[in-house]
Amino acid sequence: MDYRIEHDSMGEVRVPAHALWGAQTQRSHQNFCIGSERMPPQIIAAFAILKKAAAQANCELGLMDKATCKLIAQVCDEILDHKLDDAFPLVVWQTGSGTQSNMNVNEVIANRANQLIADDDRVKRLHPNDTANMSQSSNDTFPTALHIAATLALTEQLLPSVRTLTATFERLERENEGVVKAGRTHLQDAVPIAFSQEISGWRGMLEASAQQIEATLPQLSQLALGGTAVGTGLNAPAGFDVCVASHISKITGHTFVTEQNKFHALSAKDAICFAHGAVRTLAANMMKIANDVRWLASGPRNGLGEISIPENEPGSSIMPGKVNPTQCEAVTMVAVQVMGNDATISFAASQGNFELNVFMPVIAYDFLQSVGLLADAILSFNDHCAVGIVANRNKMAQNLNESLMLVTCLNPHIGYENAAKVAHKAYAEEKSLRQACLELGFLSGEEFDKVFRPEEMV
């Protein structure tokens, strides 16, 4: 492999000749051979957004000339267009401030911009620290990139997936209105419920989760940029923080504002922890929904069998004809991964020491993994399972009519204790509730038929 010599404040470093990165990226690439988890592309994209906005703010405030600003913006657009993806090789397991990823972006911007100007002596060459990182520090850029990436992931990935599944449940509610089935509590028979009512519970969980996620966005919209190293804003011009937040808003189409307390912004990760809590809650709701669906679809002959779900692939390498609720299983696996990520993020957020939290790369990785996995799993569950849910109405009616908990409707007429006697007798002697009630003499056949109407119990 051909190499070129780059240098930083520590001296010279050999860098692959083709690489757009420089010395600090190369040092990190060599010193942190840990795992295979690379810095998420959403973080790199967020860095490109903030670097472009920072250049525009610096230009607006008179610190940067228009030609340099234009060059930086051009390179940032190339990053956002995925033209330079190979230029970002660093892993998550690096310095906890994300300094090396910040410098990776700075070096790529400077080197690519210098390629674009080539040997034009009329244009000043760009420097990673002095130009691309002007008015910034890794300590305020990484938390800013984290908030930008989190906001975009929630609003453009996760919430649309939730809305898609919500719409499917709304359709299923309409289609199954008036279909009465056995309710279940404690995994035991309970009083009747309409299938549309059961589905409305699933829909309500999604709607509540969406509202909770949306409630986290105002905190994520507050940016650390402008605080520089420790929150004092050293080496950033007055007004830079407000100006750069305005430019980030224009680039993304989402409203971002500067965090008023930069010491809080740099040292605490409570906003991202709070946001992931809402994501975790959605995961918990999806776990419940997926479990309900696979229980209701269990069988096909020896389970509940009250719904049918799409048969997507063979379910066994040895049992011919077996089909499994695989989409439900995928959702539940994703849910437990998200819950594990939440534990990591919560602990990492608690580790802000003095003026900086140094667990930011793992927070970023786990947060974006949670959002990406959950968004994909919800869409997959919708497209390959939920849209094809069909109520097995005959099985629902059979299970309903065999439910001993229908006896509850007799409470107002014969009392709780007598109704319990009817249920126990019917179960022990394998008789219908009607037969048991009549044999105990609590009601006549005509009286029983008048008050025993399961379809009216919902």
Side-chain angles (χ1 to χ4, degrees), residues 420-442:
K421 292 177 182 178
V422 172
H424 287 304
K425 180 179 177 66
Y427 179 69
E429 300 178 13
E430 297 186 358
K431 295 179 177 179
S432 68
L433 291 173
R434 187 180 193 280
Q435 187 177 359
C437 186
L438 268 59
E439 290 181 5
L440 288 169
F442 294 143

Side-chain angles (χ1 to χ4, degrees), residues 16-288:
H18 70 279
L20 278 175
W21 64 77
Q24 292 198 46
T25 302
Q26 187 63 30
R27 290 187 193 279
S28 180
H29 196 34
Q30 294 170 182
N31 293 337
F32 296 97
C33 300
I34 305 173
S36 59
E37 297 84 2
R38 289 171 61 170
M39 189 60 64
Q42 300 98 315
I43 292 293
I44 302 302
F47 263 113
I49 290 168
L50 77 85
K51 295 293 178 182
K52 180 178 180 179
Q56 292 170 337
N58 281 320
C59 183
E60 187 174 323
L61 295 170
L63 273 72
M64 182 179 291
D65 62 82
K66 292 182 179 180
T68 301
C69 176
K70 185 177 180 181
L71 273 171
I72 291 176
Q74 182 177 343
V75 177
C76 289
D77 287 340
E78 288 185 356
I79 295 172
L80 292 171
D81 289 338
H82 300 284
K83 294 179 179 178
L84 306 178
D85 286 354
D86 292 341
F88 303 101
L90 300 187
V91 296
V92 171
W93 318 108
Q94 54 168 279
T95 178
S97 62
T99 297
Q100 286 129 11
S101 282
N102 178 46
M103 285 307 304
N104 185 183
V105 177
N106 288 334
E107 290 174 343
V108 169
I109 289 173
N111 288 335
R112 176 59 182 150
N114 290 335
Q115 282 183 352
L116 293 172
I117 60 178
D119 296 324
D120 189 344
D121 295 331
R122 295 170 299 175
V123 182
K124 184 179 178 181
R125 307 283 290 179
L126 275 67
H127 187 278
N129 298 80
D130 296 335
T131 318
N133 203 55
M134 181 183 291
S135 306
Q136 306 152 59
S137 162
S138 298
N139 295 353
D140 66 350
T141 56
F142 200 98
T144 296
L146 176 55
H147 277 211
I148 294 171
T151 297
L152 296 179
L154 291 175
T155 57
E156 298 178 8
Q157 283 182 272
L158 189 54
L159 286 173
S161 294
V162 172
R163 295 185 188 108
T164 296
L165 183 55
T166 300
T168 295
F169 286 151
E170 288 173 341
R171 173 181 62 79
L172 289 171
E173 278 182 74
R174 294 191 299 270
E175 293 175 357
N176 289 281
E177 190 173 351
V179 178
V180 181
K181 62 182 288 294
R184 295 179 179 88
T185 59
H186 304 270
L187 293 181
Q188 304 294 308
D189 300 344
V191 294
I193 186 173
F195 187 37
S196 59
Q197 292 172 328
E198 193 165 45
I199 297 169
S200 78
W202 302 340
R203 171 182 53 79
M205 296 170 82
L206 295 178
E207 291 173 340
S209 287
Q211 291 170 2
Q212 290 156 5
I213 291 169
E214 288 167 350
T216 72
L217 297 176
Q219 291 193 42
L220 291 176
S221 73
Q222 300 180 45
L223 304 180
L225 205 56
T228 64
V230 295
T232 60
L234 179 68
N235 292 343
F240 174 79
D241 54 355
V242 174
C243 187
V244 74
S246 175
H247 283 289
I248 290 171
S249 299
K250 292 175 184 175
I251 294 169
T252 63
H254 295 271
T255 300
F256 288 98
V257 297
T258 189
E259 162 72 78
Q260 293 302 310
N261 188 331
K262 301 297 192 300
F263 308 102
H264 167 246
L266 268 62
S267 62
K269 292 293 156 278
D270 43 13
I272 203 78
C273 189
F274 176 56
H276 195 272
V279 175
R280 179 210 62 223
T281 301
L282 173 60
N285 282 342
M286 285 304 303
M287 173 78 82
K288 183 262 194 288

